[in-house]
Amino acid sequence: MLTLTSGAVQVIRTVTANPELPPDTGIRIESGLDGSDALRLSVAPAPEAGDQVVEEEGAKVYLEATVAEMLDDKTLDAQVDPQGDVAFTIAEGGGTPA
């Protein structure tokens, strides 16, 4: 199962903390549109049918079924640069979980 670093947990909780968003809001990762290996990441109000849910310390990640298989042994990390831009990265397993 995908693991989340403490940095990813913190960023996801910050991104989804808006009180105007539904309580189940999380980050959804799905496959790209053109069949490439690219992944799309978006804020989602809830998981879609068939999504795998990864939740750590209140941070929710929804994985499309095919993406869940692909990321099964991976670690999701996130960092914020000095300009406030967020960068998510996926690394091979063995990362430091939250």
Side-chain angles (χ1 to χ4, degrees):
M1 177 181 285
L2 179 72
T3 58
L4 308 178
T5 65
S6 58
V9 167
Q10 182 178 5
V11 168
I12 293 166
R13 287 186 358 202
T14 299
V15 168
T16 60
N18 185 333
E20 295 178 14
L21 295 174
D24 285 335
T25 298
I27 299 295
R28 185 165 194 269
I29 304 174
E30 59 190 326
S31 55
L33 296 176
D34 58 4
S36 72
D37 289 338
L39 298 175
R40 294 185 336 153
L41 189 140
S42 61
V43 175
E48 293 186 13
D51 281 357
Q52 181 183 89
V53 178
V54 176
E55 184 172 357
E56 290 189 32
E57 299 177 29
K60 297 178 182 91
V61 178
Y62 307 129
L63 302 169
E64 181 183 65
T66 55
V67 171
E69 284 183 39
M70 188 171 60
L71 301 181
D72 187 49
D73 60 347
K74 307 287 190 279
T75 300
L76 180 67
D77 191 17
Q79 296 186 0
V80 180
D81 69 18
Q83 290 75 36
D85 294 324
V86 176
F88 284 94
T89 55
I90 296 171
E92 293 299 318
T96 305

